[in-house]
Amino acid sequence: MQDVHTLTKELIIQWNSFFAKRTELMTRSPIRELLKFTTQPEVISFAGGLPAPELFPVERIRQATNTVQKPCNIVPLKECRHLRSFLAQRLSNETLRVKPDNILIVTGSQQALDLIARIFVNEHDRVILENPTYLGMLQTLKPYDLTYLPVTTDADGMRIEALPELLRQQPKLMYVVPTYQNPQGTTLIKERRLNLINMLEPYPVPLVEDNPYSELCYTGEIEPSLMELDAHSLGIRELNGRVMYTSTFSKILSPGLRVGWIAAPLPVIDKLVAVKQGTDLHTSTFVQYIINEVVRDGFLESHIATLRTTYRQRRDIMLAAMEHYFPQEVSWSHPAGGLFLMVYMPQYLDAEELLQEALAYKVAFVPGVDFHVGNTGHNTFRLNFSHESPPMIEEGMKRLGQLLKNAVQQKDLLLRV
Ligand SMILES: Cc1ncc(COP(=O)(O)O)c(C=O)c1O
């Protein structure tokens, strides 16, 4: 692709002067830009949030596609109610009953976040979120020029003692990734979940629970969802509280299928449908039917079990290699599930600078700064442990460990001089 500045000189129309005001605030995802460099085969990449490619259920998807292609199945291709029922059933338990009508299938949970932002936030509103948080949500929220009310985090998730003060500032929305968070891999512990729901009681703020990773659990048990705890605290069995829940097939099946879902109270679903119709009419029904074929008869459960075994092993290999190769000045999170962990370097080191060096050594990660608000997190970076094979994880950690040791030693020398 040509450089934007060269292009601008050649243009007859100066497009920048025509873009809407909100468009000025839109920038391309730094992750996507970075991933371009990391797709070269010789680069060991811990950058993306990608599954292990060898675990894609290719044959099952092929068979499902053949079944769906049969004329009697493909005509007419209306929305796939079976898939909504399947998801509603999976989300329901003895505390909460989710109905198919509470579910909207979306084009990846990234679209869920976009649609939710569109129906809830006005320019300059206040939004509560964890710091750091999922950078795709920050990208979605950017054009609204919001005031963020960030909540700091520790190994047990959000430090909720800060919440009452933030809730008093009349936020329009609260966004949380409570389980095996992206980027840190940390989980909001049950005690804090319960306190969080109690704290929200006097404040009518809608809560987005973004939950793409909870199925990928390697240690301990999966915590109850905020959606479930909210219903329980309200004494209701229906999905009719303050939580909108979103998840995706991207992490448990394949990210390229672009199918996710929102579970929410009916008035919210109604508005989401309206705005989605104006965006893309509906998510590919063909793909919905394929997924419906793939997941049935217990396949999804057994596939998730395979993913858990493989990713648990990769997480453990990465953690052990970090222990072995990384200098003592550096620390990191210890995720019980998900796809990521986060590295915390001393404040005097900058992860973007380290990445330049790392790329020269053919190893990639994502600097943490883009997951943070308030210009913080320069000394952090995110590592993905699901995508690379065990020998590559070992080799990648060795290279990164050496780079980190060099960086710490150089700073040490400079400080002494
Ligand atoms: C927390 C979180 N939410 C949403 C998404 C978007 O997922 P998708 O649009 O692929 O369903 C991701 C992807 O990495 C994520 O980590």
Side-chain angles (χ1 to χ4, degrees):
M1 218 172 115
Q2 249 179 302
D3 171 52
V4 177
H5 298 291
T6 335
L7 266 176
T8 313
K9 272 194 217 143
E10 290 168 6
L11 290 173
I12 294 167
I13 291 184
Q14 293 302 312
W15 292 105
N16 280 341
S17 59
F18 288 93
F19 290 140
K21 224 174 133 206
R22 65 179 176 283
T23 316
E24 284 170 26
L25 299 171
M26 294 177 189
T27 47
R28 283 156 67 145
S29 155
I31 278 214
R32 292 226 153 269
E33 297 304 296
L34 183 90
L35 283 175
K36 280 189 214 154
F37 299 101
T38 61
T39 49
Q40 299 153 3
E42 67 276 17
V43 173
I44 306 177
S45 179
F46 305 110
L50 299 175
E54 66 277 20
L55 295 187
F56 285 143
V58 179
E59 195 42 46
R60 178 92 180 174
I61 292 176
R62 188 176 292 135
Q63 281 166 11
T65 311
N66 286 342
T67 310
V68 171
Q69 269 177 351
K70 285 183 193 150
C72 60
N73 289 333
I74 204 167
V75 186
L77 259 186
K78 288 197 287 184
E79 64 146 333
C80 185
R81 195 170 166 87
H82 302 298
L83 189 59
R84 288 205 285 141
S85 302
F86 173 83
L87 292 168
Q89 231 169 39
R90 284 192 109 234
L91 288 173
S92 297
N93 56 26
E94 59 286 355
T95 324
L96 178 70
R97 198 169 135 245
V98 179
K99 295 182 187 153
D101 285 345
N102 290 119
I103 305 272
L104 174 66
I105 305 279
V106 285
T107 307
S109 55
Q110 186 65 39
Q111 185 180 50
L113 303 178
D114 179 55
L115 298 179
I116 288 170
R118 286 211 239 167
I119 69 166
F120 284 100
V121 293
N122 292 312
E123 266 190 13
H124 312 312
D125 276 344
R126 283 182 278 272
V127 171
I128 298 184
L129 33 73
E130 297 149 294
N131 195 27
T133 190
Y134 171 51
L135 71 74
M137 182 54 159
L138 292 178
Q139 201 187 6
T140 291
L141 295 178
K142 230 177 189 175
Y144 300 96
D145 205 7
L146 302 172
T147 298
Y148 294 129
L149 304 176
V151 187
T152 52
T153 57
D154 61 23
D156 294 333
M158 260 193 318
R159 301 188 55 161
I160 55 161
E161 66 274 16
L163 271 181
E165 170 54 27
L166 303 181
L167 286 164
R168 277 194 283 277
Q169 297 180 41
Q170 299 184 329
K172 202 59 179 297
L173 203 65
M174 180 164 173
Y175 171 73
V176 192
V177 189
T179 308
Y180 318 138
Q181 194 228 30
N182 181 2
Q184 298 186 104
T186 46
T187 293
L188 189 65
I189 55 169
K190 183 155 178 204
E191 190 192 333
R192 288 191 187 178
R193 286 178 192 236
L194 291 167
N195 285 339
L196 164 65
I197 297 294
N198 284 339
M199 281 174 180
L200 289 176
E201 202 194 309
Y203 303 96
V205 57
L207 172 66
V208 182
E209 177 173 24
D210 187 4
N211 198 22
Y213 301 106
S214 68
E215 308 263 18
L216 301 176
C217 161
Y218 318 129
T219 314
E221 301 211 331
I222 303 173
E223 299 287 5
S225 67
L226 296 174
M227 169 171 70
E228 204 177 312
L229 294 175
D230 180 52
H232 187 67
S233 87
L234 293 168
I236 51 176
R237 281 208 63 207
E238 309 291 307
L239 179 46
N240 209 7
R242 68 179 76 242
V243 178
M244 295 167 278
Y245 176 102
T246 171
S247 191
T248 177
F249 285 110
S250 288
K251 313 297 171 184
I252 51 174
L253 218 50
S254 162
L257 294 171
R258 307 305 307 135
V259 176
W261 60 93
I262 307 175
L266 296 181
V268 178
I269 293 290
D270 192 47
K271 281 288 175 209
L272 289 169
V273 169
V275 68
K276 184 166 164 61
Q277 281 171 353
T279 304
D280 63 355
L281 295 180
H282 58 77
T283 294
S284 161
T285 37
F286 183 51
V287 178
Q288 289 183 49
Y289 272 86
I290 292 173
I291 291 183
N292 186 54
E293 273 302 307
V294 169
V295 295
R296 64 203 207 113
D297 302 333
F299 175 82
L300 190 60
E301 260 48 52
S302 67
H303 185 60
I304 289 172
T306 311
L307 296 178
R308 282 185 182 164
T309 310
T310 306
Y311 296 166
R312 179 187 294 116
Q313 190 204 21
R314 291 181 185 197
R315 175 203 61 174
D316 292 345
I317 289 169
M318 181 172 274
L319 287 172
M322 291 169 88
E323 205 63 62
H324 189 69
Y325 296 114
F326 280 22
Q328 61 179 25
E329 288 82 357
V330 170
S331 62
W332 50 90
S333 57
H334 292 78
L339 302 182
F340 307 107
L341 58 81
M342 194 144 212
V343 179
Y344 312 98
M345 302 188 291
Q347 285 292 342
Y348 55 76
L349 291 182
D350 185 305
E352 284 175 289
E353 283 172 23
L354 188 78
L355 178 63
Q356 297 310 322
E357 288 179 46
L359 288 175
Y361 283 85
K362 306 279 183 221
V363 54
F365 54 78
V366 183
V369 67
D370 291 316
F371 297 93
H372 285 76
V373 298
N375 199 20
T376 51
H378 291 272
N379 61 322
T380 65
F381 60 90
R382 188 192 75 177
L383 293 175
N384 161 267
F385 51 79
S386 58
H387 183 61
E388 293 287 354
S389 66
M392 288 298 112
I393 293 176
E394 178 80 21
E395 175 59 27
M397 290 307 105
K398 194 170 165 187
R399 290 184 202 176
L400 267 183
Q402 195 51 55
L403 284 168
L404 282 165
K405 280 179 188 157
N406 294 348
V408 169
Q409 266 168 17
Q410 273 168 16
K411 274 286 172 203
D412 214 36
L413 271 179
L414 269 180
L415 286 178
R416 270 193 237 157
V417 170

